[in-house]
């Protein structure tokens, strides 16, 4: 058992190291693709970190993503770059704590609606502040960050996110989360501090999402609330995590990579039908693969081997 | 069992990845020069689709058709090559527009890239145009920072001026009219709380103060506001002879309707984006007369008139009275620069900066990579939206103030 574990860790390190050398060989467009892909892999993994085990479907991804991007835009001229990322993370953490503390007692569809509203609320607050206090809406980001730099930072963040996700899955807190996901009342009776566990995970997950926004922001040069708080980011993250299976470590990865490539292929070859195909795909995923491809493959594998299959309810149900 | 399966899944993923990469790679094959490849990413869906679909996209299509109908794009040696277009939808997302332009430059390896729609999107792609050495003719971008951008991105061209230009022109008109006793020096102003409105209103406040105009009412409203009657009533009660709204198209149409309902008759009525849409004139008929906004045309410019006619015939819609004609003129400049210098982007860019071109605007020349010969203020007169400021420019129409009351 132990050797399997060390093998897995070694494999992980080798993959990350290999990916780190990719910019040397990749074309500029390949690098752009990898940046987009890594961004969504990190977003989906961070999303699943909280929403997977607890089954709290969050649409607040873009709220934190936008906070990260906007913080970089606001302070890009007055701070050193590493400090910029730290401040973004701190603001993300603060907002996540306040919001989480106030709302994590909501459940089910109420939570979904609330998180969707949160992104809009933050966008409107930023707009209001910019209009009435600073008198400008668009902000410029002129940072000397190269695409390679962005790629390596995202890779680092993705690796850290995986490590956290792996660690949480094996810890007491991970077990506590699963119990909460199965039945919150039982969890409370088992002596789990439900509110604290949920809040901690929500905060960690949101901070990572904030950092993804902060790292990617220099690519845009120009940031407006409409650009930074684009709700599509939330939906894409959600559907990627669901496709792969939000309850597994590599689930979001296996959802994000093929979907991202598919979207890219669709928008290059079917620019006029993209939105229609995307909508159909969303419906298909939720209906056919509610527990994700990994679980789907596993169930069918077992069924094929004539084993009893016990289905676990998915996040989308 | 589990590890085997995971490995299997990984292997499949790798295969899919490899397939995707080879598929994308085939695009990059070198081609004989039997055509010139133009690419652009434009918002065909999402919130920006409305503006892009009026000002930018029809002109790109019209120009490509015009050139190909004439046998193709003329090279310095007189040979004509047809234009081939690669078009992407950026879905009004800035991450997408960045990726699409990168794809055009490095995968599709197009000869020239046309600019996207909107200030933000043009800024988002400017570093890419610069890095890959493509000239960027940014038309639908209103920014006061153009002089800085030109320094930063040597091959960027800014064709629609900045908020200060429009605000100063308006302030000058109001100051003159108030000196002449046509109107009092009080202004009521509202603006949409979004990019365009904020830029203009921040420029207008100091410009009005400098011109000795008193701002008696100054409110912003959020995007999507549909009921303007409280603002109209307050503006009406403020005693101002001038009502200014830096508004978006839906607001512009609503304000016009609701002012008529409230019988609000300011002597000067200045509205934002949308006033220059042909449909605005059509909907409001005689009531549009006297209403002012940004942009305008010279009604006696025959080439422009011919362009407007052809635009309507080919695309089925009439061009707007602000950015449309400039978009088309920017393409003509590019066409002429290619005719003089060929497909060498470096030389074409230099030619765009320094050359003089015959376009639908008349003789066109950029100053420090910016088009400065623009109509800063226009007014509806006799069913056309004509340029009235700068008043000393050739072809300027004389401004008519005060505007008539609404006829019902």
């Amino acid at each position: 058992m132990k050797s399997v574990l060390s093998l897995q860790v070694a494999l992980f390190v080798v993959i990350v190291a290999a990916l780190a050398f990719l910019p040397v060989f990749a074309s500029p467009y390949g690098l752009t693709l990898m940046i987009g892909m890594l961004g969504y892999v990190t977003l989906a993994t961070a999303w699943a970190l909280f929403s997977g085990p607890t089954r709290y479907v969050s649409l607040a991804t873009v709220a934190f993503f936008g906070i990260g991007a906007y913080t970089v835009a606001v302070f890009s001229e007055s701070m050193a770059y590493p400090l910029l990322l730290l401040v973004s993370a701190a603001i993300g953490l603060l907002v996540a704590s306040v919001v989480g503390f106030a709302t994590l007692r909501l459940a089910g569809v109420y939570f979904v609606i609330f998180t969707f509203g949160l992104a809009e609320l933050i966008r409107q607050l930023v707009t209001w502040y910019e209009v009435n206090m600073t008198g400008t809406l668009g902000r410029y980001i002129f940072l000397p960050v190269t695409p390679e730099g962005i790629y390596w930072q995202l890779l680092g963040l993705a690796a850290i996110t995986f490590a956290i996700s792996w660690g949480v899955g094996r810890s007491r807190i991970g077990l506590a989360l699963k119990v909460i996901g199965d039945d919150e009342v039982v969890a409370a009776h088992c002596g789990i501090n439900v509110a604290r566990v949920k809040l901690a995970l929500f905060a960690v997950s949101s901070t990572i999402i904030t950092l993804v926004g902060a790292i990617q922001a220099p690519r845009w040069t120009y940031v407006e609330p409409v650009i930074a708080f684009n709700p599509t980011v939330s939906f894409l993250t959600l559907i990627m995590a669901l496709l792969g299976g939000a309850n597994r470590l590599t689930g979001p990865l296996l959802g994000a990579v093929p979907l991202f490539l598919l979207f890219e292929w669709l928008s290059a070859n079917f620019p006029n039908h993209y939105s229609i195909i995307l909508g159909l795909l969303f419906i298909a995923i939720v209906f056919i693969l509610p527990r994700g491809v990994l679980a789907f493959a596993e169930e069918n594998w077992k069924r094929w081997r004539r084993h009893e299959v016990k289905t676990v309810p998915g996040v989308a149900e | 069992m589990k590890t085997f399966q995971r490995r299997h899944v990984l292997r499949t993923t790798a295969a899919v990845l490899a397939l995707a990469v080879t598929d994308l790679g085939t695009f990059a094959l070198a081609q004989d020069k039997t055509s010139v490849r133009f690419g652009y990413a434009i918002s065909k869906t999402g919130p920006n689709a409305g503006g892009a679909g009026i000002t930018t996209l029809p002109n790109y299509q019209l120009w490509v058709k015009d050139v190909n109908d004439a046998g193709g794009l003329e090279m310095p040696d007189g040979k004509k090559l047809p234009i081939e277009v690669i078009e992407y939808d950026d879905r009004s997302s800035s991450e997408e527009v960045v990726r699409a332009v990168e794809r055009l430059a490095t995968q599709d390896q197009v000869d020239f890239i046309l600019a996207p729609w909107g200030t933000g999107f043009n800024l988002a792609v400017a570093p890419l145009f610069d890095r890959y050495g493509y000239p960027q003719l940014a038309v639908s971008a209103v920014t006061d920072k153009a002089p800085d951008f030109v320094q930063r991105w040597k091959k960027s061209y800014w064709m629609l001026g900045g908020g200060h230009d429009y605000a100063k022109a308006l302030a000058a008109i109001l100051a003159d009219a108030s000196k002449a006793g046509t109107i009092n020096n009080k202004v009521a102003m509202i603006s949409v709380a979004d990019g365009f409105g904020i830029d203009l209103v921040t420029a207008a406040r100091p410009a009005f103060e400098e011109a000795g105009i008193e701002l008696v009412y100054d409110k912003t409203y959020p995007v999507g506001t549909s009921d303007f009657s409280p603002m109209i009533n307050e503006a009406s009660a403020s005693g101002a002879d001038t009502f200014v709204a830096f508004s978006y198209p839906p607001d512009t149409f609503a304000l016009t309707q609701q002012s008529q309902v409230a019988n609000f008759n300011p002597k000067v009525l200045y509205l934002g984006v949308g006033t220059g849409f042909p449909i605005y004139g059509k909907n409001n008929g005689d009531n549009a007369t006297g209403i002012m906004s940004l942009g305008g045309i010279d009604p006696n410019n025959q080439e422009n008139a011919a362009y407007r006619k052809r635009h309507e015939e080919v695309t089925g819609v009439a061009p707007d009275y602000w950015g449309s004609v400039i978009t088309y003129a920017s393409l003509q400049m590019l066409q002429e620069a290619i005719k003089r210098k060929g497909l060498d982007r470096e030389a074409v860019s230099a030619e765009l900066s320094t050359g003089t071109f015959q376009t639908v605007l008349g003789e066109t020349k950029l100053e420090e990579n910016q088009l400065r010969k623009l109509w800063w203020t226009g007014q509806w007169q006799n069913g056309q939206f004509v340029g009235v400021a700068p008043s000393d420019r050739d072809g300027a129409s004389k401004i008519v103030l005060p505007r008539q009351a609404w006829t019902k």
Side-chain angles (χ1 to χ4, degrees), chain A residues 98-111:
Chain A
V98 172
V99 167
F101 193 71
T103 63
L104 281 175
R105 54 197 87 232
L106 292 176
V109 74
Y110 301 103
F111 184 76

Side-chain angles (χ1 to χ4, degrees), chain A residues 8 28-29 32 127 131 135 137 140 142 219-222 227 254 261 264-265 267-268 271-272 274 298 305, chain B residues 9 17 23 44 88 91 94-96 98-99 102-103 106-107 120 123-124 127 132 145 152 194-195 198 202:
Chain A
Q8 279 176 341
Y29 177 65
T32 316
T127 309
V131 170
L137 197 58
Y140 303 96
F142 294 123
R219 282 171 62 71
W220 299 341
T221 317
Y222 177 84
I227 291 175
L254 290 177
L261 289 175
E264 185 64 21
W265 183 77
S267 59
N272 297 330
Y274 176 89
E298 214 161 81
R305 306 222 73 198
Chain B
V9 173
L17 254 169
D23 184 39
K44 299 182 84 175
Y88 293 125
R91 305 199 292 276
S94 55
E95 185 61 33
E96 194 60 36
V98 166
R99 209 156 50 234
E102 198 131 39
R103 193 189 302 137
T106 63
Q107 275 323 113
L123 285 167
Y132 297 113
K145 293 204 170 167
R152 191 179 286 274
D194 199 43
I198 295 167
T202 342

Side-chain angles (χ1 to χ4, degrees), chain A residues 82-111:
Chain A
L83 197 61
L84 218 51
L85 293 185
L86 274 181
V87 170
S88 309
I91 294 179
L93 183 65
L94 184 76
V95 175
S97 310
V98 172
V99 167
F101 193 71
T103 63
L104 281 175
R105 54 197 87 232
L106 292 176
V109 74
Y110 301 103
F111 184 76

Side-chain angles (χ1 to χ4, degrees), chain B residues 109-328:
Chain B
Q109 299 189 334
V110 295
D111 295 297
F112 288 94
I113 305 179
L114 304 180
W117 182 88
T119 312
F121 282 22
N122 270 295
L123 285 167
V125 298
L128 291 176
F129 274 77
D130 186 60
R131 190 176 331 134
Y132 297 113
Y134 286 92
Q136 180 186 12
L137 288 151
V139 177
S140 48
V142 176
T143 167
D144 284 318
K145 293 204 170 167
D148 302 342
F149 296 151
V150 169
Q151 296 304 317
R152 191 179 286 274
W153 304 302
K154 304 280 183 211
K155 294 190 190 72
S156 68
Y157 307 87
W158 304 86
M159 319 269 292
L160 214 53
H164 280 93
D165 300 315
Y166 295 99
K168 274 189 190 143
L170 173 60
I173 288 174
L174 296 180
D176 284 353
S178 130
K179 248 178 239 146
T182 320
I183 55 170
N184 65 19
N185 73 336
K186 294 190 174 110
V187 171
M189 176 167 76
I190 65 170
S191 55
V192 61
D194 199 43
F196 166 79
I198 295 167
D199 261 16
L200 267 293
V201 88
T202 342
R205 284 182 190 128
F208 285 169
E209 200 183 319
E210 213 172 287
I213 294 160
E214 195 190 339
L215 202 52
V216 289
Y217 182 73
D218 182 0
K219 276 266 161 68
T220 60
Y221 62 86
V223 179
T225 301
S226 55
D227 182 11
F228 293 92
S229 45
M231 277 178 265
I232 290 173
N233 288 337
E234 281 173 29
S236 178
S238 70
D241 277 349
T242 305
F243 181 66
V244 175
F246 295 117
S247 49
Y248 276 153
D251 326 345
T252 304
F253 284 83
L255 274 164
T256 314
Q257 289 305 320
Q258 292 174 19
S259 298
Q260 291 182 36
V261 171
N263 208 17
F264 173 49
N265 273 307
K267 287 179 178 161
V268 175
L269 181 57
Y270 185 99
L271 301 172
V273 190
T275 315
F277 290 176
I279 184 90
Y280 186 85
K282 225 173 262 173
N283 280 1
N284 293 296
D286 271 351
N287 271 333
T289 304
I291 295 176
M292 302 202 294
S293 182
L294 311 85
I297 58 158
D298 169 4
N300 299 315
N301 179 340
Q302 292 308 319
E303 282 184 74
N304 194 349
Y307 153 76
R308 300 188 67 82
K309 198 157 161 271
R310 202 170 62 255
H311 186 293
E312 197 162 353
E313 279 166 13
V314 173
T315 66
V317 286
D320 73 42
Y321 283 94
W322 187 16
S324 278
V325 68
I326 297 167
T327 308
Y328 192 81

